[in-house]
Amino acid sequence: CALSPTTPALRAMALSKWGMLMKKSGRSGEARSDVWPLVSFDMAWVTENWSQSGCDLWEEFTSDDFYWNRMAFVYSLNAAADFADSIGESAGSNYRSVANQIVESAKGHFNGNFIYECNGREKDGAVIHAIITFGEFLYPPTSSEAAKTIAAYNNAFCEEYPSTSRRMELASLGS
């Protein structure tokens, strides 16, 4: 697998947060002239290419529908939108619009029992990472979808590693 398609999004998110810190410390001019061009360059790529195929976090599997990737895009687009708004750039509404499109496409990853990463790789730790890191925009850690996902992944782990399942039984009995 090649690089993850989330690289430009995550770079723009980090730069957006840096730009916001610069602005808060009285360096608005530098944030606008030095940071914004980099953010807008990466976000131009993201808004046009978010649905392309790419690698998972582990660089082992390829898909155009990874839950983690989608939520990383949403989080990054919203961070860039906030930065754009804070320095008077007009791109914020476009970034939020694309983020909302991606959220709609990611809603289907909850199958009623758990949030899955992608077809062919349903249960993947990247989903838990996405819930914790990016969940505020769809399924936050306190949501019933997140709770069901954690329960399903816990059961899958216990099925994969029977000794863990036995230890959990003993712990619940107070042994």
Side-chain angles (χ1 to χ4, degrees), residues 38-87:
L38 301 171
V39 171
S40 63
F41 177 81
D42 281 344
M43 284 292 110
W45 187 91
V46 170
T47 58
E48 293 298 318
N49 296 287
W50 65 267
S51 63
Q52 82 171 19
S53 185
C55 296
D56 66 345
L57 287 176
W58 327 122
E59 297 182 355
E60 300 171 337
F61 197 82
T62 303
S63 175
D64 62 357
D65 193 28
F66 289 117
Y67 182 74
W68 190 93
N69 289 13
R70 301 248 165 152
M71 295 314 298
F73 289 136
V74 169
Y75 187 87
S76 298
L77 283 158
N78 279 289
D82 291 345
F83 178 47
D85 292 348
S86 78
I87 59 169

Side-chain angles (χ1 to χ4, degrees), residues 6-174:
T6 58
T7 300
L10 295 173
R11 181 175 48 233
M13 178 271 301
L15 286 166
S16 294
K17 290 185 176 204
W18 174 244
M20 295 287 280
L21 289 171
M22 290 177 76
K23 185 174 184 295
K24 284 182 183 177
S25 68
R27 297 169 59 195
S28 295
E30 287 175 88
R32 187 178 186 73
S33 66
D34 297 345
V35 179
W36 176 250
L38 301 171
V39 171
S40 63
F41 177 81
D42 281 344
M43 284 292 110
W45 187 91
V46 170
T47 58
E48 293 298 318
N49 296 287
W50 65 267
S51 63
Q52 82 171 19
S53 185
C55 296
D56 66 345
L57 287 176
W58 327 122
E59 297 182 355
E60 300 171 337
F61 197 82
T62 303
S63 175
D64 62 357
D65 193 28
F66 289 117
Y67 182 74
W68 190 93
N69 289 13
R70 301 248 165 152
M71 295 314 298
F73 289 136
V74 169
Y75 187 87
S76 298
L77 283 158
N78 279 289
D82 291 345
F83 178 47
D85 292 348
S86 78
I87 59 169
E89 290 290 337
S90 62
S93 61
N94 180 49
Y95 297 163
R96 285 188 187 89
S97 175
V98 174
N100 290 336
Q101 283 179 287
I102 299 170
V103 164
E104 288 303 312
S105 75
K107 285 181 179 178
H109 280 257
F110 181 69
N111 64 14
N113 297 312
F114 61 90
I115 301 166
Y116 69 91
E117 177 64 355
C118 68
N119 290 323
R121 190 168 211 157
E122 286 75 16
K123 292 179 181 166
D124 188 294
V127 171
I128 304 299
H129 184 341
I131 291 168
I132 293 165
T133 308
F134 311 126
E136 70 184 273
F137 294 103
L138 182 55
Y139 301 124
T142 56
S143 69
S144 63
E145 294 87 355
K148 287 180 178 182
T149 300
I150 292 166
Y153 281 43
N154 183 57
N155 289 338
F157 186 84
C158 289
E159 289 170 14
E160 184 74 23
Y161 302 99
S163 63
T164 300
S165 184
R166 179 69 180 136
R167 277 189 231 129
M168 289 179 67
E169 282 178 35
L170 293 172
S172 70
L173 297 172

